[in-house]
Amino acid sequence: MSMQRFRATSKLLPHLSANKISPVSSSLVLHHPYPKRPCLGTHAPYSSSWPKDPKDKLPSWIQDMSVSTSSSSSVAKQAIMPEDGVEQIELLSAVEDLHGGVVVDLKEVMDSEVFSSLLRASMSQWKQKGKKGVWIKLPIKLSNLVDAAVKEGFRYHHAEPDYLMLVRWIPETIDTLPANASHRVGIGAYVMNSERKILVVQEISGRFKDTGVWKLPTGAVNEGEDICAAAVREVKEETGIETEFVEILAFRQSHKSFFQKSDLFFVCMLKPHSFDIETQNLEIAAAQWMPVEEYAAQPFVRQNKMFDYVAEICLAKSDKDYAGFSPMRTTTSSGKRSYLYYNKRDMDNIQVTGDHQ
């Protein structure tokens, strides 16, 4: 990880000598001969990382006198006093985001005390530049830095298997940083064969364990996975049936579900391309093709309004003129692949007839 550097003049530098350099962890620091603060130029505002006592350690230093970056290390390895009295103060490397903030992506092992000094100096610089949000991405191997960041006012934003993201809002205004992801997305698969039988399963664990209820195959959409792809995958994993995605029939939203997150559940219609069931033994106790009327007549389905209405929608799709939302592959404004789900049948009719009312 590279380190940014900026210049700061000091009247005290002539009093520093090479024999004041001492090794601390993996870096070298200068012991300041005086307890008073350095006289800083306009390029470097006062930072709490400067020593208030001769025994305190200054942040890491560098010998290059120009504004530059170095990719060789996260921590400065040496410090040299230039003859013209210009100090180089090391900062954490950061990338500016699109919303007036910065992102620090730490990768190399670092001592927590060194990190704390670098962070304080960096925060002072970012505040002077009018930055807003500061994001720090810490991989698991740098978990020793969490406490130092929290003591500097950072809070947890989200965590993934291999990293923790911390964040801090700098201005004394309303914090407008986006919250962590608020929803989990799931699918339910409605698959009907030519005999008007639908694919249903009984689960080994969870809410429906040992209840005798036959339900549609369901599952969570993975990160980076499209809804249409997730539906096809879940059916294949649970029953071994190959399918083709047709459309979204309906969706529902609920709250305080998985770890208090909200939940979006999409009922999807799929067309089967194979019919021999191969049950997945880790999650599924049994699977079968069941007459759709028999599925809808189950006591649990009839007594549960949500399940009952979903069954009615599925029957309406099979027997009547119900149109769902078909996927249209497109791209976002930034060029990323995406799907737009829409009522294709009615839209096609509008385009053919020219009736936009």
Side-chain angles (χ1 to χ4, degrees), residues 69-105:
T69 60
S70 172
S71 59
S72 60
S73 175
S74 299
V75 180
K77 296 295 190 282
Q78 56 185 330
I80 295 179
M81 180 186 67
E83 295 180 357
D84 64 354
V86 176
E87 300 173 347
Q88 301 297 319
I89 302 175
E90 196 169 52
L91 302 176
L92 293 171
S93 178
V95 177
E96 294 187 357
D97 62 24
L98 298 177
H99 306 282
V102 296
V103 180
V104 178
D105 189 359

Side-chain angles (χ1 to χ4, degrees), residues 98-115:
L98 298 177
H99 306 282
V102 296
V103 180
V104 178
D105 189 359
L106 297 175
K107 298 183 182 300
E108 299 179 8
V109 175
M110 184 184 300
D111 178 79
S112 60
E113 292 186 8
V114 173
F115 170 71

Side-chain angles (χ1 to χ4, degrees), residues 41-60:
T42 58
H43 293 287
Y46 170 71
S47 168
S48 58
S49 62
W50 288 103
K52 300 180 180 65
D53 185 88
K55 296 181 181 180
D56 288 344
K57 292 176 289 185
L58 292 173
S60 302

